[in-house]
Amino acid sequence: MNLNRVKDEDKLELCRKYYYGGFFALPFLWLVNVVWFFKQAFIRPAFEQQQEIKSYIIKSLVGCILWTAVLVTWMTIFQMYRADWGEIADNMSFIIPKGIA
Amino acid sequence: MSQYNSGSDSEHCNERTSLMEVQVDVRSGVGEAVTTQRVSRSSGRRSQQIQENVPDGADRREAGDGGEDHGIRHREDEEEEDTEMTLKYGAKHVIMLFAPVSLCMAVVVATISSITFYTEKNGYLIYTPFHEEGASTASKVGDSLANAAIMVGVILVMTVFLVILYKYRCYKFIHGWLILSSLMLLFLFAYIYLGEVLQAYNIPCDYITLAIVMWNFGAVGMVCIHWKGPLLLQQAYLIVISALMALVFIKYLPDWTTWFILGAISLYDLVAVLCPKGPLKVLVETAQERNEPIFPALIYSSTMMWFVGMADSDPEAKKKKKKKKKRRGDGDAQGAAPAGAVGGEEEGGFGQDWNESRGFQPTRRPNRGGNASDASVNSEDARQAAQNLSNGRLSPSGNQQQQQQQQQMEEDEDEEERGVKLGLGDFIFYSVLVGKASSNGDWNTTLACFVAILIGLCLTLLLLAIFKKALPALPISITFGLIFNFATANLVTPFTDALASQQVYV
């Protein structure tokens, strides 16, 4: 959908819903929220709901960054120590590579 | 028209691709009185063609100005603009459809080339009980024909079922079907695909990461496709699920059967969209009568953000903008959403939905955000139309500022509304054809099929611009694709091989 044809109140509502949706373990939704409403929150000249949209965007961005940090950390740990952990790592693995330890 | 089938696989085959053009009447609200005079076929908001608009607008101008010469001049100018707009509209939209179709085909070809899972024959769908195990050509052809007949039959049944559901307003059932379809596509098939890709590249992955990634991918996909989301993301998701579906087809259909099914589906599409009693035609007309978008959530819409370049920002001229829609599945879930493809049985669910989603169809507003925004748009239209009528003129010069602002909004709306929509079933079958061609390992054939399909798409859009009604998008492209595939594989490749081996350069 195109945000241009949406009223400002509806934009705020949409931003808010995306923000709340992101709490269901959906950092991607937060990222989409940030990217989609970035122009509305920061580049467009001030309008009534802009402050609220800005706050939602910033909170979404913070949440997204936190999630990304946690995920990246976990993935790094797993990739590095998967072989050392032995059986636990195998039970945890979706794909076990062939031919390497 | 291709319709989106939420039911079985066969269903998506059923829905034909249809190209339809709908002129967007920006001032539909007030213009209803005006529009109805001009509406030739369908009721409701379906705008008329440019040519019909011209006399209307001219009449209105005359009423306001009272000068006949002035009116005639305007009419001529409008006609010129209309002609120009028609042509520009066609070319730009062709290009705008090339990108997603090419992308989908590229994804499928890349997957087929690199991941052997999708070319291994491990099992077949229940819709193709004959597995081509006989040694002779005749038995293979017989099996393929039988399989193709069964598939088309199942698709036909599912489409008719869907049309009946739609006619009797069982919107909840259709909606649920649709959602189930997309859920299966976005989660199950994407999970399988991810697993195969990781395995092919020998990359370890744990369940936790997998769960988070799949959950995010699927949930955001559902939100974008069935509810509201950024257009680009929605388009990306639609391309991804079309590619996934095409890969499923390539894997689970026997070789010869695939080719025969492609041909049979094209014929079915042609018949179902163009014949007066064809299920897809009935579906489109019913939706138009009820003034609802057809099968949202399974139409790929590529709205153009291109400004028409109408310096005078004439509201009348804007009214003449046309929108082509290919009925795949409109992301805006409004009213019935029978785009569903996944029904119950295996991958069969996609059939009907995909079929239904195939097709070109013009729509008024491809990307209506929802009821609220629709209401706002309509009220704006109504306000502006009322104001214009009361002023008795439509030229922007000398407008009050409010009118200018309204016109500006209209311009924005019009920019958007000039989008083309293509059913997802079309994407799927184009990709099946190219993917199947590439599975033989020959790049000549793959490229030839790719070019053939794009040429077919051009021609179909050209026909859409000429006929301005729902058209099937499959027949021309698939026909070209099949011809090019077999001609290249049997004539061009041996020829080039012989040339290369003899070191003759032509």
Side-chain angles (χ1 to χ4, degrees), chain B residues 331-382:
Chain B
D332 314 323
Q334 285 195 0
V342 179
E345 327 151 297
E346 313 177 22
E347 303 90 350
F350 300 104
Q352 189 163 11
D353 290 338
W354 293 120
N355 285 333
E356 286 172 355
S357 64
R358 287 184 292 110
F360 289 91
Q361 204 184 41
T363 50
R364 288 193 69 244
R365 298 177 192 281
N367 289 308
R368 279 194 281 204
N371 292 331
S373 49
D374 285 335
S376 68
V377 163
N378 293 340
S379 63
E380 285 160 14
D381 290 347

Side-chain angles (χ1 to χ4, degrees), chain A residues 1-2 4-7 10 14 17-18 24-29 32 36 67 71 74-75 78-79 82 91-95 97-98, chain B residues 191 195 202-210 215-216 219-220 223 227-230 233 237 305 365 367-369 372 376 413 416-417:
Chain A
M1 62 179 298
N2 190 358
N4 293 337
R5 287 192 308 182
V6 173
K7 283 202 293 229
D10 298 331
L14 204 54
K17 285 193 180 145
Y18 266 65
F24 292 93
L26 291 173
F28 188 33
L29 199 62
V32 170
W36 199 16
W67 263 98
L71 261 178
W74 163 248
M75 279 162 72
F78 183 77
Q79 297 288 340
R82 183 188 55 84
N91 289 339
M92 235 195 288
S93 293
F94 169 53
I95 300 283
K98 305 184 176 80
Chain B
Y191 165 79
N202 231 12
I203 300 172
C205 181
D206 58 303
Y207 282 117
I208 301 171
T209 312
L210 174 77
W215 168 238
N216 272 274
V220 177
V223 165
W227 193 54
K228 305 172 197 173
L233 196 62
Y237 268 106
M305 305 313 281
R365 298 177 192 281
N367 289 308
R368 279 194 281 204
S376 68
E413 291 161 3
E416 252 189 80
E417 291 168 1

Side-chain angles (χ1 to χ4, degrees), chain B residues 125-140:
Chain B
L125 299 173
I126 58 168
Y127 304 107
T128 53
F130 303 102
H131 296 161
E132 296 182 19
E133 280 142 18
S136 70
T137 311
S139 75
K140 282 208 178 112

